[in-house]
Amino acid sequence: MQTLKKYSVLALLLFFLGCNVSPKAIDYGNEGCHYCSMTIVDKIHAAEVVTNKGKVYKFDATECMAHFMEDFNRSEIALYLVNHYSKPEVLIDATQATFLVSKNIPSPMGAFVTAFQDHNIAEKVKSEQGGTLYTWNEILEHLKQ
């Protein structure tokens, strides 16, 4: 009976650890994009989705994440994350980010989408590089076109 209790506790512990809903670091240069299969190397434009069960999908660009979500049940997604311009490799909440589409800042898949954590920095870069600013919902609509 004691052995059964130990295995039950261990199974529950593994279940809860396996369902950890949190961002996972991207291994740049070694992991592939779940949408286009290209190796993720760009530390400014990568993105990530974490499901309610803790499964992580990684992308080489915001546009790949957006296109991946078109065929995915969005109610299963807990976190939408993107790298941002000011701190390469750092993931931020995509739903709170400001997105700049500027032909002067190329992104891996050619949609020229760059995310910013701070709207004022996005405005400053826009004034230097040109382009248009979008919210999360607006960039999703823009990428459908």
Side-chain angles (χ1 to χ4, degrees):
M1 193 63 160
Q2 284 291 17
T3 304
L4 182 60
K5 277 186 176 178
K6 287 180 184 175
Y7 283 117
S8 296
V9 169
L10 181 61
L12 283 171
L13 183 62
L14 289 173
F15 174 77
F16 286 115
L17 289 176
C19 293
N20 184 11
V21 178
S22 62
K24 303 288 186 277
I26 296 172
D27 186 5
Y28 297 92
N30 292 307
E31 291 186 282
C33 175
H34 275 90
Y35 183 73
C36 72
S37 301
M38 289 180 59
T39 302
I40 304 170
V41 294
D42 187 323
K43 297 175 180 178
I44 293 176
H45 294 98
E48 183 174 298
V49 164
V50 182
T51 69
N52 295 325
K53 293 181 178 177
K55 184 163 176 63
V56 176
Y57 296 93
K58 298 175 182 179
F59 308 95
D60 63 344
T62 301
E63 52 265 40
C64 282
M65 179 171 66
H67 295 306
F68 172 82
M69 292 180 339
E70 291 171 1
D71 299 327
F72 199 86
N73 182 354
R74 292 185 187 188
S75 67
E76 295 178 19
I77 297 174
L79 300 171
Y80 298 95
L81 305 158
V82 289
N83 285 148
H84 69 107
Y85 188 77
S86 303
K87 294 181 181 174
E89 295 189 40
V90 174
L91 293 166
I92 60 170
D93 182 350
T95 65
Q96 301 300 310
T98 300
F99 295 88
L100 174 64
V101 175
S102 172
K103 298 284 185 192
N104 295 317
I105 306 174
S107 58
M109 298 309 293
F112 303 96
V113 178
T114 304
F116 294 83
Q117 186 171 30
D118 184 312
H119 183 79
N120 293 330
I121 293 174
E123 286 281 359
K124 182 177 182 238
V125 173
K126 176 189 164 198
S127 69
E128 297 166 356
Q129 301 291 330
T132 305
L133 295 178
Y134 297 88
T135 64
W136 169 244
N137 288 326
E138 291 169 341
I139 198 67
L140 292 178
E141 285 300 314
H142 172 78
L143 292 171
K144 284 182 181 177
Q145 301 170 5

